[in-house]
Amino acid sequence: MDELKNQDCPVCHEKTATLIEDERSFKNFKCFLFSITCSSCNYHKSDLEIEPPQEKKQSVNIKNPKELKIQLAKSSEAIIKIPEIRLAIKPDVSSNGYITTAEGILSKYKKELEEERDSAEDQEDRKKAKNQLKKLWKIELGEIPITLTIEDSSGNSALIT
Ligand SMILES: [Zn+2]
């Protein structure tokens, strides 16, 4: 792992950004990770690249809590879909790339839903979030099997098997 401190921050231009580069080898590919974090303005961006490029669409069936531990390398351009709960996470300017697990994807979504449930202005939105949370609990218990699909036209995302 390489770490470069006191770099120019692209947002606030203070010399308080830290760049980190890392490399990890998996069975079928190498993953290059990089991130920039600024201690002055809290700017953070991370992404990854995979060599060689991977299949643009990959899916896995998850039927029990143990299978939620499957790891995935997700670039900032990846689209993640779980049709059983109508979830589609699409990339935007603030998207990051990182290595996570199916469980990690769900828990991130869970936090968003909890926020929505507790603070959405529209009662209907709160109710929807509450129902969606119930489905997530069932997935965690293995009561709802899911299909997780990762799509990335750049080839920089993959399920790690
Ligand atoms: Zn900054």
Side-chain angles (χ1 to χ4, degrees):
M1 191 178 89
D2 291 322
E3 191 180 81
L4 282 171
K5 289 194 166 185
N6 307 319
Q7 301 297 300
D8 271 325
C9 170
V11 176
C12 72
H13 304 291
E14 296 290 331
K15 283 198 170 296
T16 47
T18 302
L19 299 176
I20 293 176
E21 284 184 7
D22 204 1
E23 191 182 313
R24 287 178 66 184
S25 291
F26 297 101
K27 201 167 66 184
N28 301 314
F29 55 83
K30 265 190 169 178
C31 188
F32 302 92
L33 299 122
F34 29 89
S35 73
I36 175 166
T37 307
C38 175
S39 58
S40 299
C41 68
N42 290 324
Y43 173 71
H44 174 75
K45 177 84 187 165
S46 70
D47 212 345
L48 53 80
E49 279 178 13
I50 290 178
E51 279 299 328
Q54 300 294 299
E55 290 276 340
K56 291 175 179 162
K57 187 174 176 182
Q58 301 181 34
S59 289
V60 62
N61 294 313
I62 295 171
K63 300 175 293 297
N64 61 54
K66 223 173 101 189
E67 289 174 337
L68 282 170
K69 305 277 182 210
I70 186 169
Q71 283 192 302
L72 43 135
K74 170 207 167 296
S75 89
S76 63
E77 292 175 47
I79 302 170
I80 292 172
K81 290 180 182 166
I82 303 176
E84 290 83 355
I85 52 169
R86 291 193 193 149
L87 175 64
I89 302 167
K90 294 189 181 128
D92 61 32
V93 283
S94 64
S95 293
N96 286 313
Y98 44 84
I99 290 175
T100 183
T101 57
E103 203 171 35
I105 300 279
L106 288 177
S107 71
K108 199 160 178 263
Y109 181 48
K110 194 172 171 182
K111 276 193 199 114
E112 288 168 23
L113 286 172
E114 282 169 347
E115 172 124 7
E116 181 92 357
R117 177 196 62 193
D118 297 336
S119 47
E121 300 217 345
D122 190 340
Q123 286 304 320
E124 201 55 35
D125 288 341
R126 289 190 185 209
K127 208 171 134 190
K128 273 186 206 156
K130 216 170 158 180
N131 287 336
Q132 196 73 328
L133 277 167
K134 276 186 204 157
K135 285 188 195 157
L136 284 197
W137 292 325
K138 286 188 177 168
I139 293 169
E140 284 169 2
L141 293 170
E143 289 175 16
I144 301 180
I146 54 166
T147 315
L148 185 143
T149 301
I150 187 160
E151 292 175 27
D152 188 339
S153 54
S154 72
N156 285 314
S157 296
L159 296 164
I160 302 171
T161 51

